[in-house]
């Protein structure tokens, strides 16, 4: 982006695509020249915007987040990221591709919690079938046959 001498362009670092979206909204108020890439207002209903990209809920000290723009569910405890469940959504099915727990938090059942909350979220929505690509997610579904109706059948 060409600039004139004396113009300072702030550098914004972000850890995930969700943070990038939030940074663009904040930066939008700082930009004098409006750009279609910088979001300064909420999108009309039915279109994506930062407000609709991340949903979260708190239960017993845990914060469960669906970061739609990063295609992942996250589980945080005491402000620290403890577990992540990556997914790919094609509009009809959702493939749960990888469950990962930060090594220092392993052995405490956090991966099971994030999978359980993700499955509960998908059951509540009721518009997707699940393909368990990750071995851990497949084992979780084997241990919880009451959720088998959510799995995609061939």
């Amino acid at each position: 982006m060409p600039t004139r001498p004396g113009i300072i362009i702030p550098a914004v670092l972000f850890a995930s695509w969700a943070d990038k979206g939030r940074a663009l909204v904040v930066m939008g108020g700082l930009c004098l020249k409006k750009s279609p890439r910088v979001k300064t207002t909420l999108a009309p209903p039915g279109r994506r915007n930062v407000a609709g990209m991340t949903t979260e809920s708190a239960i017993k000290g845990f914060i469960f987040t669906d970061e739609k723009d990063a295609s992942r569910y996250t589980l945080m405890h005491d402000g620290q990221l403890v577990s992540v469940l990556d997914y790919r959504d094609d509009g009809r099915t959702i493939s749960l591709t990888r469950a990962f727990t930060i090594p220092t938090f392993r052995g405490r059942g956090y991966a099971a919690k994030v999978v359980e909350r993700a499955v509960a979220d998908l059951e509540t929505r009721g518009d997707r079938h699940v393909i368990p690509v990750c071995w851990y997610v497949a084992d979780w579904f084997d241990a919880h046959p009451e959720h088998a109706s959510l799995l995609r059948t061939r």
Side-chain angles (χ1 to χ4, degrees):
M1 168 170 39
T3 61
R4 288 178 274 148
I7 303 272
I8 298 172
I9 299 174
V12 178
L13 300 175
F14 42 87
S16 72
W17 286 106
D19 294 338
K20 175 188 174 224
R22 290 184 193 103
L24 286 175
V25 169
V26 171
M27 294 289 294
L30 302 175
C31 295
L32 298 176
K33 182 179 177 185
K34 298 299 179 194
S35 167
R37 297 184 67 200
V38 177
K39 299 174 185 174
T40 57
T41 60
L42 292 176
R47 293 191 54 206
R48 287 181 60 164
N49 200 329
V50 175
M53 290 185 188
T54 302
T55 57
E56 66 181 41
S57 61
I59 296 176
K60 298 179 187 175
F62 291 95
I63 298 176
F64 173 77
T65 307
D66 178 7
E67 296 179 357
K68 292 174 180 61
D69 55 337
S71 297
R72 69 181 190 171
Y73 291 102
T74 61
L75 186 68
M76 298 185 76
H77 185 60
D78 293 333
Q80 292 184 318
L81 180 68
V82 295
S83 192
V84 175
L85 177 62
D86 293 329
Y87 64 84
R88 296 292 173 253
D89 189 353
D90 68 4
R92 294 171 301 163
T93 59
I94 187 164
S95 299
L96 301 177
T97 57
R98 182 184 73 131
F100 179 77
T101 300
I102 306 300
T104 56
F105 297 107
R106 289 184 180 160
R108 301 178 192 173
Y110 293 142
K113 285 184 195 283
V114 75
V115 172
E116 179 182 348
R117 292 289 299 138
V119 168
D121 179 54
L122 292 168
E123 283 181 331
T124 302
R125 287 174 36 193
D127 61 346
R128 303 280 192 279
H129 288 285
V130 174
I131 301 171
V133 175
C134 172
W135 67 269
Y136 184 86
V137 176
D139 286 352
W140 188 91
F141 273 101
D142 287 342
H144 298 87
E146 65 274 14
H147 300 288
S149 63
L150 196 58
L151 294 174
R152 186 188 80 176
T153 57
R154 294 183 182 213

